[in-house]
Structures are given as C-alpha cells and as structure tokens.
C-alpha cells in the first residue's frame, strides 16, 4: 500500500510514496499496514466497578478526559485490579501523552493477569504505535504471549504482520497474513496487503492480481484494494483499466487523494490535457498540501509543459 504512483509524468521524476515515519494523511493508502491501536475489553459485569468503568469509557468517547479520569479513579478505588479499567485508563493516558502512567497501568494489569490476551495486545500495540522500532522485541514477545492464549486472535495477528512489515521482514509479514486467511478466509484487509507484498516485494503479479480479485469479489468497494490493483494495472501498461479502478476508488472514498493524484496524471498522459491535469493537482493540494506525488507531478508539469523552471523548483 505504500507503493508510489507508477504514472509519474515524464521528466525524470523519482516516484515517491507515503512518509516512512508512519504519519499518514487522510488519503494515505498505507493505512492497512498500520497497527490497530486498541482492543476494548468486553465489560458485561454488573458490579459497581464495572458500571463506573463503563461510565468512564462513555466520557472518554465524548473526549471528556477529566470526567473519564474521575470515573476510572473511582472504579479503581472500588476494585484496584479491575482489568477493564486498567486498560481503559491506560488508553486515556496514552491519548493525553502521559506515557509513563500508561506503562504503569499496563504493567500492573499484567502483574495481576499475566495471560490476559487483551492486555497483552493493548500493551504491544501501544509500544508499536508510540515507540516503533525501539520496542520491536518487546512488541513481538507480547504478541507471541497473546497468541499463546488466543492463537486465532486476528487483531493480534494483523498487528504482528504490520510489525514485521515495518522492519522490512516481508517474508515473515506475508506468512502472518497467510495465517490470518486460514483463520478467516474472507479477511479482505489481509488479502489486500498480501497482494501488495506479492506485487511490490515478491514481483508475483499474477498471484497479486488473483488476491486483489478475490478481495474485490468479497468487498467491491474496498478502496485500498482498488488503488493497489490500479497500480498493478499501471505497471502492466494498462492505463485505461487502471483509470476505471481509480475512479471507483475516489467515488468510494473522496479523500483518497493518492488515487486522485494518479487520475490527474492520467488526464495528461492519456487525454493529453495538461490544463485539466494541473487543475486537478491544484485541487488535491488545496485539500492536503503535503501530498508528495501531487507536488512532484505538478513540478514536472510546470517544468516540461509550462517551461516554468522557478515554478517547478518551488
């Protein structure tokens, strides 16, 4: 999903993709390789601490952090080892940037319940999102412990695949997606990401195409699959088929600006309409000025079509 557009305008421009830092815009197609941030615990208990925890979660969803904190503190006074509250309170502290408190809460929960799969998952996801490569080993161990408890936990497997992908361990990542698809043969996100790995890293376009086709049979409006499949078609020099998929992609998700950027490029390369291409690129940048493909292609257009070197440099 992080593959760059293969339809860069002529002019020697090097294709670029989403930022490797993990900071993603609303249109970034790499979202499926990002980890799931948190797994909310099922809380069907009827005790006072259960009710207080649920009240805190309701406040948190309303972004009333102070109110949520008061409810969580009250729940822990009633039951200092209430695992649902410990997890929910950790999420709140992470959200407000109190990482030390976040880790204290997860560690307390695991000291009480060392085989609690949801806590193991949430602590690993926290490390993965907030610390990245620096905590790779800790994440891997926590996910492994969670999977010992619940071997078929798809969220855990999905995050583990994302962890391997972030490390460039594409073979291990692909094996985890295969494991997910054995658990749930209709898991479209895993099909999509498997196709992207096959396409970009293993150069198996035939199997990638089969994976995308299978995903779209299940979920015809899956925007990331449509986008990746369009990139595959572009790599096969089938721009008309690619454009059809890109149009479907932006129809499903108007904020998929990477797909919109490719459509802008195709307006020039297929239709020989640089004016429309430029207008489309400017519209994309008015919505998000950080899209590197739009900036790059607008620069190439201004250099090669408008002969505006200063505009291209800018």
């Amino acid at each position: 999903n992080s593959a760059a557009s293969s339809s860069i305008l002529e002019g020697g421009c090097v294709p670029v993709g989403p930022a490797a830092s993990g900071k993603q815009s609303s249109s970034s197609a790499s979202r499926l390789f990002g980890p799931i941030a948190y797994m909310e615990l099922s809380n069907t208990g009827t005790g006072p601490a259960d009710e207080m925890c649920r009240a805190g979660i309701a406040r948190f969803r309303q972004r009333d952090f102070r109110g949520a904190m008061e409810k969580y503190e009250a729940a822990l006074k009633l039951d200092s080892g209430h695992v649902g509250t410990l997890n929910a309170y950790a999420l709140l502290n992470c959200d407000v940037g109190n990482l030390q408190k976040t880790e204290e809460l997860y560690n307390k929960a695991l000291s009480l319940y060392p085989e609690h799969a949801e806590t193991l998952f949430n602590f690993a996801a926290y490390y993965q999102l907030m610390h990245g490569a620096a905590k790779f080993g800790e994440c891997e161990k926590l996910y492994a412990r969670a999977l010992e408890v619940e071997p078929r936990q798809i969220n855990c497997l999905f995050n583990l695949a994302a962890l391997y992908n972030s490390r460039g361990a594409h073979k291990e990542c692909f094996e985890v997606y295969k494991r997910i698809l054995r658990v749930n043969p209709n898991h479209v996100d895993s099909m999509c990401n498997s196709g992207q790995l096959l396409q970009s890293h293993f150069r198996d376009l035939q199997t990638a195409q089969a994976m995308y086709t299978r995903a779209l049979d299940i979920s015809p409006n899956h925007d990331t699959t449509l986008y990746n499949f369009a990139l595959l078609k572009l790599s096969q020099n089938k721009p008309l088929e690619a454009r059809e998929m890109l149009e479907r992609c932006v129809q499903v998700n108007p904020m998929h600006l990477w797909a919109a950027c490719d459509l802008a490029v195709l307006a020039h390369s297929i239709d020989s309409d640089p004016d429309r291409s430029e207008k489309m690129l400017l519209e994309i940048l008015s919505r998000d000025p950080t899209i590197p493909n739009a900036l790059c292609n607008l620069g190439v257009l201004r250099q090669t079509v408008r002969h505006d070197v200063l505009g291209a440099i800018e």
Side-chain angles (χ1 to χ4, degrees):
N1 307 67
S2 59
S5 165
S6 55
S7 57
I8 293 288
L9 288 162
E10 293 79 11
C13 180
V14 178
V16 288
S21 66
K23 183 178 180 182
Q24 300 167 6
S25 74
S26 58
S27 59
S28 171
S30 65
R31 63 180 175 82
L32 288 183
F33 277 125
I36 298 161
Y38 181 77
M39 191 188 309
E40 188 171 298
L41 277 64
S42 175
N43 182 2
T44 58
T46 57
D50 298 306
E51 293 176 2
M52 199 63 69
C53 178
R54 284 193 290 270
I57 291 170
R59 295 285 181 89
F60 178 77
R61 288 174 177 164
Q62 296 167 357
R63 314 308 286 170
D64 177 7
F65 293 153
R66 183 178 295 276
M69 181 182 69
E70 290 172 355
K71 296 296 183 182
Y72 294 149
E73 290 284 358
L76 292 174
K77 285 181 181 177
L78 293 165
D79 179 356
S80 62
H82 193 271
V83 68
T85 302
L86 291 169
N87 275 264
Y89 201 6
L91 176 64
L92 184 153
N93 277 279
C94 180
D95 220 35
V96 300
N98 190 348
L99 304 189
Q100 181 177 348
K101 182 67 171 178
T102 301
E103 293 176 23
E104 288 175 2
L105 289 161
Y106 281 136
N107 278 317
K108 180 177 179 179
L110 288 178
S111 70
L112 296 169
Y113 313 103
E115 295 185 352
H116 192 265
E118 288 87 350
T119 303
L120 289 164
F121 171 89
N122 286 336
F123 201 2
Y126 155 78
Y127 273 146
Q128 191 170 357
L129 284 161
M130 301 306 297
H131 297 285
K135 293 290 186 179
F136 178 90
E138 287 88 339
C139 290
E140 189 176 32
K141 289 175 183 176
L142 286 165
Y143 286 135
R145 286 171 60 188
L147 288 167
E148 287 177 5
V149 180
E150 295 186 18
R152 297 169 62 85
Q153 173 47 253
I154 286 179
N155 285 348
C156 190
L157 290 166
F158 197 77
N159 275 19
L160 183 61
L163 183 70
Y164 286 137
N165 182 70
S166 70
R167 190 70 169 249
H170 302 302
K171 182 178 179 181
E172 291 84 351
C173 177
F174 187 65
E175 289 301 316
V176 176
Y177 286 131
K178 286 166 64 176
R179 184 173 169 184
I180 293 173
L181 291 170
R182 286 195 294 270
V183 175
N184 179 5
N186 294 325
H187 196 267
V188 172
D189 286 356
S190 293
M191 292 179 202
C192 178
N193 284 356
S194 295
Q196 201 276 332
L197 290 169
L198 288 161
Q199 176 181 343
S200 296
H201 299 289
F202 305 139
R203 307 307 302 166
D204 184 350
L205 300 188
Q206 183 176 356
T207 308
Q209 179 165 316
M211 195 68 73
Y212 292 147
T213 301
R214 180 180 165 194
L216 291 174
D217 284 344
I218 296 168
S219 181
N221 293 328
H222 194 264
D223 61 334
T224 310
T225 301
L226 287 166
Y227 181 70
N228 284 355
F229 206 170
L231 294 185
L232 187 148
K233 293 295 184 182
L234 287 171
S235 73
Q236 296 173 325
N237 197 26
K238 297 178 180 179
L240 295 177
E241 292 181 35
R243 179 155 68 179
E244 180 183 352
M245 291 181 181
L246 292 168
E247 288 172 346
R248 284 172 59 192
C249 180
V250 296
Q251 183 177 12
V252 170
N253 179 9
M255 284 303 299
H256 202 302
L257 301 185
W258 287 76
C261 180
D262 281 329
L263 285 171
V265 173
L266 291 175
H268 176 66
S269 62
I270 294 179
D271 303 330
S272 300
D273 191 345
D275 292 338
R276 182 159 62 92
S277 180
E278 184 174 29
K279 182 178 178 181
M280 292 169 72
L281 290 169
L282 289 170
E283 166 63 20
I284 292 165
L285 291 169
S286 72
R287 298 167 71 184
D288 185 343
T290 68
I291 301 291
N293 266 16
L295 290 164
C296 182
N297 282 311
L298 183 60
V300 173
L301 187 149
R302 286 182 173 172
Q303 177 184 351
T304 60
V305 177
R306 308 298 186 210
H307 305 294
D308 178 6
V309 176
L310 292 178
I313 292 171
E314 180 188 1

